[in-house]
Amino acid sequence: MMRIKIVILLLLLLSALSPTPARAFVALCYHDVQDVVDDPDGMAVSRDNLVAQFSWLRENGYTPVSIDALLAAQRGERPLPDKAVLLTFDDGYTSFYTKVLPLLKAFNYPAVLALVGSWLEVPATGQVAYGDSLVPRERFMNWEQIREVAASGLVEISSHSYDLHRGILANPQGNVQPAMTTRRYEAASGRYEADKTYFKRLSADFARNAALLKNQLGSKPRVMVWPYGEYNRHAQELAAKAGMPISLTLDVGKNNPQELDAVRRVLILDNPPLADFVWQMRNPQWQKPRPIRVVHVDLDYVYDSDPAQQETNLGLLLDRIQKLGVNTVYLQAFADPDGDGVADALYFPNRHLPLRADLFNRVAWQLRVRTGVQVYAWMPVLAFTLGDEADQVLAWAADNRVAPDPHQYRRLSPFSPRARQLAAELYEDLAKHAAFAGVLFHDDALLSDFEDANPAALTAYQAAGLPGDIGAIRSDDAHKRVWTRLKSEALHDFTAHLAERVRTWRPAIKTARNLYARPVLERDSEAWFAQSLPRFLEKYDYTAVMAMPYMEGAEDPDIWLRTIVQSVAEVPGGLDKTVFELQSVDWRKNNEAIPGSFLARQMRLLAREGARHYGYYPDNFFHNQPRAEDLMSIMSLRTYPYLP
């Protein structure tokens, strides 16, 4: 009995010494507060609605917390309260002093206030360059008001940059994009800002705003609030070096106090009435993703050697996407004019392949700002015209000869260190030079049951305990199963490596990967592709299944489509993460167009079987194929899908 008591006491002691688990918290992002809301950007909230929201938080057990409380939880000193909320206010509007501060005092709520230094240094009678317009300096607080706010003890003064809350020239076509994450395009030289120059620009800005706030308020900021929510990992590192290890983003999701370097915030838009605010708090976006409707677009169709015609083509694409009312575009980032699926050139500046045109950034940005869609950069994983045969996927033949398979894509080997480096640098160059929401990994990431015989691959097989000879592996069923899984995992590992290189510059990107239909319908076919539906669902945010019955030679396309949806549904959560891509042309019949009415019927069939996400490839915006009028009612996510 005494021994049991001692054990219990020891367990209690260890429990007391162990750091208390940190609870999650939600961060809210506000901007201006007005008596009567008049804000075309939708960033303002009325004072009455803000009072109602603060009251609801108090009455429903939510506790606003300070930065100090978050740091204490991070150190394991004391946990956050249940339903912890971080209140943040961006830009430093005068309304924060006149309307928000009195409310914070009345409720005894802490908050974070983000200030843009260059705006505060504009003379009292001057104009502040705010977005695309000029606004009176009096719209923002003066230093006397800010000092009173800081002295309240409720408000954490943070940096919103000195002069990065604006756009800069981002490409030859004249797009202006966020200064924090954009490589400045120098029109005179036709060149982009180099890494060293970019880092120096950010460091100087962070230091200047920190010095300004210290001079005026007596202390430097310890929080960086990213303008427009745009940031990258290099910016985070530079901010931390400038004394701001905590940063606030506009990424969506809950937060853990252990990860204060990129705090996610819910952006309060369109002056929500209390019912909408409550719904957002109880059913946040990260718990209920919207259905995905995809149009898969060839940038080769937009490209034209005549810049004027190219802009006309882009206009046609934008009008079509707007009319369809979809929310996602898979946009080709590589050039494939001969249609063999291999990247001969790229549509963004890069280190290794020819630049066909500096076009991807232009089209992706226009799609984002003109139509509101999420753009995924569609890129090969292995199919690049890079390297020599020593870097390529090699197929083994029964006579022990090895050579690239002429019936497959020309591909780099995922086992070759040099090939991995070349591909990773291309992905990094893409992320440096364009803004996009995700990456779609092309269908070239496959290895047949005769591949890969690259010397680096054989070395990897031996390291895993397999024979270094494909003939010997294929002759043993147990070896073959291990080999198949090893190759599948090698491709997952490679795509994860590519995604990580992208996330250095675009931390919030999602991933999707094309999956052939046969590994979905015939699980034993993993050996022929090195692809597995369950593993795809684990490894990627979305799996883009090539639900193309005509390409697969299905006798009855409807039965085939039902079967593929049912096969996905058998995997727990499969339908939540699978995008079914239909085909809009029949490649077996000389690219014969499939009528839009047929596609619409197939989409309705998919939906009836339980599919949540779907789309099609390819899109011909020149000839309205498939007909937008046929698809709008089933693809559009607008409230009134028949409206243009």
Side-chain angles (χ1 to χ4, degrees):
M1 190 66 179
M2 179 62 68
R3 185 177 298 171
I4 293 174
K5 288 182 178 179
I6 292 172
V7 170
I8 292 173
L9 287 172
L10 287 172
L11 289 174
L12 289 173
L13 178 61
L14 288 172
S15 176
L17 293 174
S18 299
T20 304
R23 297 189 179 99
F25 68 96
V26 175
L28 303 180
C29 174
Y30 293 92
H31 287 77
D32 200 5
V33 179
Q34 303 174 354
D35 290 326
V36 178
V37 173
D38 179 19
D39 181 8
D41 294 332
M43 294 291 185
V45 63
S46 72
R47 182 183 181 278
D48 288 346
N49 280 349
L50 185 61
V51 170
Q53 291 165 17
F54 278 13
S55 298
W56 184 87
L57 291 173
R58 182 182 60 190
E59 295 302 319
N60 287 273
Y62 289 86
T63 304
V65 294
S66 66
I67 294 297
D68 283 332
L70 296 179
L71 289 171
Q74 184 184 64
R75 294 190 295 266
E77 295 173 357
R78 61 180 181 273
L80 293 178
D82 290 332
K83 297 184 178 180
V85 179
L86 181 69
L87 301 174
T88 72
F89 293 80
D90 290 3
D91 298 349
Y93 298 96
T94 301
S95 64
F96 186 90
Y97 176 76
T98 60
K99 296 180 174 65
V100 179
L101 183 61
L103 289 176
L104 295 177
K105 290 179 177 179
F107 284 85
N108 195 31
Y109 281 177
V112 177
L113 174 65
L115 299 177
V116 180
S118 62
W119 296 355
L120 300 175
E121 293 202 304
V122 172
T125 58
Q127 301 279 308
V128 170
Y130 181 78
D132 296 329
S133 60
L134 295 174
V135 300
R137 170 64 179 82
E138 64 186 17
R139 188 177 177 187
F140 303 94
M141 284 187 286
N142 59 43
W143 284 113
E144 183 179 350
Q145 293 168 331
I146 294 170
R147 280 190 280 271
E148 185 176 337
V149 166
S152 71
L154 291 171
V155 181
E156 177 91 21
I157 303 298
S158 63
S159 176
H160 210 21
S161 83
Y162 180 81
D163 191 30
L164 298 176
H165 201 300
R166 61 188 179 92
I168 59 175
L169 188 62
N171 55 40
Q173 297 88 354
N175 284 115
V176 172
Q177 297 176 13
M180 183 69 72
T181 51
T182 297
R183 293 308 180 93
R184 186 194 306 273
Y185 180 74
E186 303 292 348
S189 65
R191 294 181 179 178
Y192 287 91
E193 189 175 34
D195 284 0
K196 184 177 180 180
T197 307
Y198 169 72
F199 298 149
K200 185 177 180 180
R201 174 165 64 86
L202 266 57
S203 293
D205 182 280
F206 299 165
R208 185 171 183 180
N209 210 42
L212 175 66
L213 294 176
K214 184 177 189 301
N215 182 57
Q216 292 288 344
L217 304 175
S219 61
K220 289 184 176 183
R222 53 183 177 172
V223 179
M224 167 61 77
V225 179
W226 303 113
Y228 311 113
E230 297 284 338
Y231 70 105
N232 57 50
R233 289 175 181 170
H234 291 289
Q236 288 176 291
E237 291 172 2
L238 294 172
K241 288 180 181 178
M244 297 175 286
I246 303 168
S247 74
L248 309 185
T249 77
L250 289 176
D251 298 342
V252 177
K254 286 187 176 181
N255 297 286
N256 184 321
Q258 301 305 320
E259 299 173 348
L260 297 181
D261 60 334
V263 174
R264 304 173 185 88
R265 297 188 292 166
V266 178
L267 179 60
I268 304 300
L269 286 171
D270 300 322
N271 189 28
L274 185 58
D276 290 351
F277 177 81
V278 171
W279 187 94
Q280 193 167 17
M281 291 298 295
R282 289 179 171 169
N283 303 277
Q285 297 175 41
W286 58 87
Q287 292 180 351
K288 191 177 181 180
R290 295 185 71 195
I292 292 173
R293 300 291 179 265
V294 174
V295 177
H296 197 151
V297 174
D298 284 304
L299 199 50
D300 288 335
Y301 292 174
V302 178
Y303 168 78
D304 197 283
S305 58
D306 178 359
Q309 182 59 52
Q310 187 168 271
E311 283 299 299
T312 298
N313 298 346
L314 174 55
L316 291 172
L317 173 63
L318 295 173
D319 290 345
R320 180 167 173 80
I321 297 301
Q322 183 69 38
K323 187 173 185 178
L324 284 168
V326 300
N327 62 359
T328 307
V329 168
Y330 293 160
L331 181 66
Q332 182 187 27
F334 62 100
D336 181 24
D338 57 7
D340 66 355
V342 180
D344 302 306
L346 299 172
Y347 285 116
F348 55 89
N350 70 92
R351 282 168 267 188
H352 300 304
L353 283 174
L355 175 67
R356 193 182 194 196
D358 192 351
L359 186 59
F360 180 81
N361 182 34
R362 163 70 170 170
V363 176
W365 186 257
Q366 291 297 98
L367 283 165
R368 173 179 168 178
V369 300
R370 289 273 303 277
T371 72
V373 300
Q374 298 278 298
V375 175
Y376 280 57
W378 169 30
M379 281 280 285
V381 178
L382 307 171
F384 298 100
T385 52
L386 289 172
D388 51 33
E389 188 169 299
D391 301 309
Q392 293 179 36
V393 170
L394 302 177
W396 172 87
D399 59 2
N400 286 323
R401 287 182 302 156
V402 295
D405 185 344
H407 304 293
Q408 292 279 13
Y409 294 120
R410 180 192 190 275
R411 288 155 295 148
L412 297 173
S413 171
F415 295 98
S416 163
R418 181 168 179 264
R420 290 171 66 92
Q421 179 181 344
L422 292 171
E425 288 172 353
L426 293 181
Y427 273 75
E428 186 174 29
D429 292 340
L430 168 67
K432 283 183 184 181
H433 289 95
F436 49 95
V439 173
L440 171 69
F441 295 115
H442 188 32
D443 64 13
D444 64 308
L446 79 160
L447 295 170
S448 77
D449 54 341
F450 291 90
E451 297 171 330
D452 179 14
N454 184 286
L458 299 178
T459 299
Y461 306 154
Q462 288 179 301
L466 294 171
D469 175 83
I470 290 182
I473 293 173
R474 285 178 51 83
S475 65
D476 184 290
D477 288 342
H479 286 339
K480 193 172 180 181
R481 284 192 296 270
V482 173
W483 181 51
T484 296
R485 182 50 54 92
L486 188 153
K487 292 190 296 179
S488 296
E489 293 306 309
L491 291 171
H492 292 314
D493 173 72
F494 188 34
T495 54
H497 177 61
L498 298 176
E500 188 62 19
R501 293 294 284 267
V502 171
R503 289 194 177 104
T504 299
W505 302 97
R506 308 289 168 184
I509 64 111
K510 300 288 189 181
T511 58
R513 182 175 162 194
N514 276 134
L515 175 64
Y516 286 96
R518 288 191 70 181
V520 178
L521 297 170
E522 306 170 39
R523 298 296 164 83
D524 290 341
S525 67
E526 179 181 357
W528 309 331
F529 296 88
Q531 296 182 350
S532 160
L533 173 63
R535 293 297 284 163
F536 269 54
L537 294 172
E538 292 175 20
K539 294 291 186 178
Y540 308 96
D541 294 296
Y542 294 101
T543 296
V545 172
M546 299 161 67
M548 301 178 176
Y550 308 104
M551 184 175 74
E552 298 293 336
E555 293 184 9
D556 188 320
D558 287 0
I559 293 176
W560 189 90
L561 287 171
R562 287 193 190 96
T563 303
I564 201 167
V565 177
Q566 292 164 5
S567 296
V568 171
E570 291 173 0
V571 183
L575 292 176
D576 292 331
K577 298 183 66 175
T578 299
V579 179
F580 295 89
E581 280 201 79
L582 298 168
Q583 61 185 110
S584 61
V585 299
D586 191 341
W587 295 289
R588 301 173 309 163
K589 297 182 178 178
N590 197 29
N591 294 336
E592 177 182 307
I594 295 170
S597 57
F598 277 42
L599 277 181
R601 185 173 62 79
Q602 290 179 340
M603 289 175 186
R604 291 188 178 93
L605 184 156
L606 292 175
R608 286 196 302 271
E609 293 298 321
R612 295 195 65 231
H613 316 297
Y614 51 78
Y616 67 88
Y617 171 81
D619 183 77
N620 188 328
F621 51 84
F622 290 112
H623 301 109
N624 189 26
Q625 168 56 37
R627 270 177 32 100
E629 295 78 6
D630 293 330
L631 298 179
M632 287 167 61
S633 64
I634 186 64
M635 284 203 74
S636 176
L637 293 170
R638 290 192 296 261
T639 304
Y640 300 101
Y642 291 97
L643 295 178

